[in-house]
Structure formats: structure tokens, C-alpha cells
Amino acid sequence: MIGFEQLNEMQQKAVLQKDGPVLVLAGAGSGKTGALTVRIAHLLETGVKPWNILAITFTNKAAKEMKERVHKLVKDGAEEIWISTFHSTCVRILRREIHHLDYDGQFSIYDSDDQEKLMREVFKQLDYSTTDKAFSVKGAMSIISSLKEEMTPWEDYLKSADPSDLKASRVAKVYRAYQKRLKENNALDFDDLIYKTVMLFRNHPDVLEKYQDRFRYIMVDEYQDTNTSQYELVYMLAAKYKNLCVVGDDDQSIYGWRGANIRNILEFEKDFPNTVVIKLEQNYRSTKKILEAANAVIHHNQTRKDKSLWTENDGGSILHIYKAENEYDEARFVAERIQEMINEGRSYKDMAVLYRTNAQSRAVEDQFVRKGIPYRLFGGVRFYERKEIRDILSYLKVLANPADTIALRRIINVPRRGIGETSIDKLVTFAEGNNLSLFDALGRLDEITELKTRASKFRDFYEIITSLQRDADELSAAELIDTVVKRSGYFQSLMTEGTEEALSRIQNIDEFVNKAVEYDKTNPEGGLAGFLEEVALVADIDGYEAGDDTVVLMTLHSAKGLEFPYVYMIGMEEGMFPTFRAVMYGGEKDIEEERRLCYVGITRAREELFMTHAKSRMQHGITQYNPPSRFLKEIPQDLVDMPTRQISDMAKKYAMRESMKLSPITSLKQHQVGGRGTGKPATTITSPIGRKTMPAPKDFVLDYKEGDKVRAPKYGIGVVKSIHNGGADFEVEVNFGEKGTKKFMAKLSKLIKVSE
């Protein structure tokens, strides 16, 4: 068997375990993809037909990699194996079977922007305010997404909702109207792709059995990230033959906040009795000391399967932990250390800066700009979210699905044709009054007397779309985009505008054409529907390419699945990582997920790992003093060194000046590769010098002093560290131990002295 001899003993066991339920616990960097691809080859060698194999991954990037590896191992039949993401798998099934649910197979797939526009229409229909913070458009979208992930139809939610609960009642009405609107547009949102597939299988057992017989051997990667609807989809498909192999790592389950249920992997053996459990613990990525640190941290979690990563790579330096004065000193340390490494012969692309939240990148970006360090900010505006790309995509969506009113309304006056919102509203009224789609209403313009002279504007647009429809089937995706851009007048309008921004938009459209050319080459039979499908299902991580020689900045969540020789994990403080929400309001479950995220971050490093924390950090306009993260304390001290630097008076003044700034970075765009707007400006803090000259309040006195214990409503009991005059109030600094040091204005704080 090709590639089999290159696998270790446990990987080989995973390959040879052909029948029945199999749980492969694959630690970070343990070579699971190689084992999975050889397993597929082994199934074919033992007589399994390629069309009887289904392999599901979470990202297009992972699916593409697996396909390429399988094609190298298998000469015949590889193209008939279904290797795709959950959502792509469901789209393929729904394109063939959704007529059972009274949809057309050419349905549109709505992204978050499309969903929000549709939801705003629903709010308008129900006369709900779109500016109400207590019940917002995005809040409603989030709730409905969670309900779909939990397989809760609007009918069930309506029955269970408490009539006296105003918010629940609103959610039920919005959910119902939203689904009705989707159906009228022959559209599915992202959650619907899995939700509708499961509903299809529930309501049509004959369709389910058809796919159970089709997919007799099923493999699921990253099983720890599955939510309820994904779990039910897999369970139903595998129920008949039970030849299900799931691969995952409970220690890397970090998406609980978006619905992933770690119980799916922890209780797999209960769901499928007689499961064979195989542990892949040999790591091929990191040094021994990095793995020892990762193991030491994750072993503090109670909710996990017992396993420990190990490696034959004994090399590598000890870990580095740096204690900074503040976030600016932290950023300077990272920038200067990277410069030193470059001077030693390393490459920028070998380095990554990881953080818990996007806002933490600002200080680092500032330093990189100042020192001329090229970088990419991963997770900024996605290519497909740019205006010109969304415009052209909307044209393509209308060609594929004329019932898609969201796409149609976006382009009906793009480029400008003199069609205003008032005229569009008249068209909508006519369509609704005659039970027509908006596109069908365009075909009956002569009947809409209210439009008067404006009808000719609509007619021009309608003729453009119908002419494109006639040609669409004869053109490749790339040719169709080029035709749309020119025939719609979009290209000419940008050329007429002639600004630098307009020319940049043309370049982006050219890049979009390049994407289509690439698609046409690899999917000659895919057509327009296939191209739209691929674009709709692109995930953030699929956009990462390691080509440019730049430092990568990204969140820890985004870094999952990636690896770098040198990693900097910044902001390792209580309240930052783990987050304030997890520390103050979450239970042990939330802390354990934060710890798993730390484990993921540590195991991204191949050769060297730097972890930094700051004594003070500006958060929400207030200087916070947080202790080092508990995760740092969980790393054995013999694995760690503490890089220190003499901070000169000049450096201290620089740090203070940086923290006092109000202006954002001005020259950021010309230095960064990825492109991103600047962060929010910092808020002014009180200087120590100014503090001493402030008078004491005259209208009240404190009943506690420095050293006394006080209670704060949110933080519990702490010790008063310092009290400063603040003019009309006292500024009180209180140490709450693990929860950090917080500053309060006494009158507003509700601090109460605690008797000994």
C-alpha cells in the first residue's frame, strides 16, 4: 500500500481498522491527514467502491489538501469519492433532493450580508425598530442561527415560547417571517444548508436510505468542532452500516461560542457501542519543550480524554516569557526580537503574532510600521466582501436564480440608471399584489402605470439581464463575469469615474476573473451554479496562503490548523486570556475552553515560542492592572526563561507618550500587505504628575483607607492598594488577587468596607 510504510504504528492501526465505528484521537501535529488519506486508499484496495466513501472536513483548504493527497495515492476512481466540507456535502445533496421540500434546485446561498438585508425587511414588515439595542437585527440573526444549529424549527419554538416573554414572542414571529422570505426568494442561509438536509432526511426516510446506501464508509475530520445539526447529520447517515471513522482532538475544541459541542467527541463511544479507540500522540511539528509546555497546560482540564503528545525531536530552546511595562513595551519587544531574528537569517514569513482579540493588534501594527516590518493582518475585510465583488456576484446570482430579490435589489440601480427607491417600492408593491417575484414583475412593466416614465429605466435593466440569461449557459464562469461587467455598464462607469479607488476596483474585478479562470480549469463541468457555490462556501481560513515574506498577525482562533517556526503569543494576562467574561461570568466550562485555546496557540509553534504579558494595559479607555495569566503559571518553570531588557528613561517616556496619544496610525496602509483600516484611537489617561496636584473632594470622606478590605459588586473582596485625590472624587485602586487590580472613582464604585 502506497504510503503505509511511512506511517507510525498507531497511524497504521487507524488505516487498517476498516469496519465498524472508529474514534481516532489525533493530537496537534500528529499526522492525521496522512493517516486519513492512506485509510481511503486502503478501503479502495479492499474492494470498497469509491462512490461508497464520504470524507467530511471543516474547511475547503483541508478538503483540497486531502483530495490532492488521495489523487497521488489512488490512480483510478479518486474523483468519485466525496471529499468536501459539511456545507458543500449538504449543498450537493440538496441540489438533487430539495424538491422534496418544495424548493427549486437552483436556490441561492445567502451569506451574512444577504441575511442582514433580508432580516431588515422582516423587521420592517413586522414594524420592529432596527435601532432597538434590546432586540436588534443581528441579535435576531444570532438567535435564529443557534435555533437552527439545535434543529429547532420555528413551529417548535413558537409552541415552546412563553407568551408573556416579549423577546421570545418577537423571536418566534421574526423566525417565521424570515423563513417565509427565504422560501419566496428560493434561498437558503448558511445554517439552512445542514438544517434543511437533516430535515429532509427526517421527513423522507427513503431519501435518507438512498444516501446511507451510497455512503457506506464515512470519515469525519475535526469531529470535536461539530455542533448538534452536524452531529445528527453524521449520525443519521452512519446509522445503517455504522462504518464511521471520526478523527479529532477534544483538547482543540475551541468553538463552543459558535455552537460546537465537545460532548460529541467525548461521548462518541456511547453513541456507537463497540467503538475502537486509537490515539495518535506522536507529534511531528514541535520541539520536545514546546510539547511539554502544552501538555502541562492542558492537563489542568478535567473534561478531556487522557493523552499526551510526545516527539522524537529533542531539540529546541526553552520557552521565553516576557513581562512588559504595558502594551507598547510589549509591542516593542516583539518588533525588536523579530528584527534580531531577521538579522540572524530568519524570514518574516516564518513568524506569527497571535492574540485573543483583534483589538490587540493595534499596538503591534504601530511598531511594525515604525520599524518597517512587513506584515499581513489576517481576518480583515475578505475579498468577496468588497463592494465591486458583491455587485458582480449579485448579477451572477440573479442569472442563476431570478427569484433572489436581495441580489436583484442590490444591482437594479448599479451602475446608476436613474432608478430610485420610490420607484423600486412601486415595483415591489405590484409584485406583492400580484403574487409575483420581483423579476417576474419586471416582465410586466406595461401594467404598472404608477412608474410612468421610469418604466423605461427598469426595462433597460430587464433587457440586460434577459440577454445575459440567454448567453449564460454557453459561457464559462470567467467569460460570463467579463460579459456581465461590460454589458451591465459596470466597467464603463468605473472607467468614467477614473479615480484611484475606481481603478483599484477594476483590479479587484480582474482578480475575480482570475479566480473564475482557475475554477473553470479544475471544474470544467461546474458551470455558474458550481462557481457560485464555491465562492459562497469559502471560509476565512481558506484565504490564508503562506507565500509572501511577511509576519502574520491573527487571532488564536484563526491560527487553528496552521503552524509557524516562531510564534509570539501576546496579552497573556487574566482578563485578557482567559477573557474577563470567562473569569467573571463563566464557569469552569468556559475556563477550560480558554485553556484549550491556549493549548492550540502553543502547539502552533514548531521551533520557538515567545509569550508576553504586560503589567498594565489600556482597555475600554481605562488603564487596567492584571496579573499574569493562570496559563503561564501552569507551565513548569524549568521550561521557561524570562527575557528582560533594561528599560531606559527615554523608553519609559516613549511608552507613556504612546499611551497618551489620541490620533490613530496614519500611514498604516502603505506599509501592510494585507490591507486594513486603523484601530480606534486610545483614550487619554491621567498622568502621575497631574494626579499629585489634584485637590481632595470637599463634600465627602471615605470610610476605608489603603490596606483595608473592600467589596465591589462585580469583583468581590479586594484590598485597597492606593487612594488619590481626584478633585470632585477619589481615585481608588483595588487589588482583587487573581481578578487583577482595578481602578474606581469612589462615588460611582459602590465600594463597601469589609470588617475583619
Side-chain angles (χ1 to χ4, degrees), residues 585-601:
Y585 305 113
E588 192 57 32
K589 177 182 176 183
D590 295 301
I591 293 296
E592 289 205 350
E593 177 152 328
E594 291 286 298
R595 187 176 283 111
R596 291 194 292 270
L597 186 58
C598 181
Y599 172 83
V600 166

Side-chain angles (χ1 to χ4, degrees), residues 418 423 448-460:
S423 297
I448 312 176
T449 55
E450 295 85 352
L451 289 179
K452 299 178 183 177
T453 58
R454 294 292 175 186
S456 62
K457 306 291 185 182
F458 285 101
R459 189 171 288 108
D460 291 343

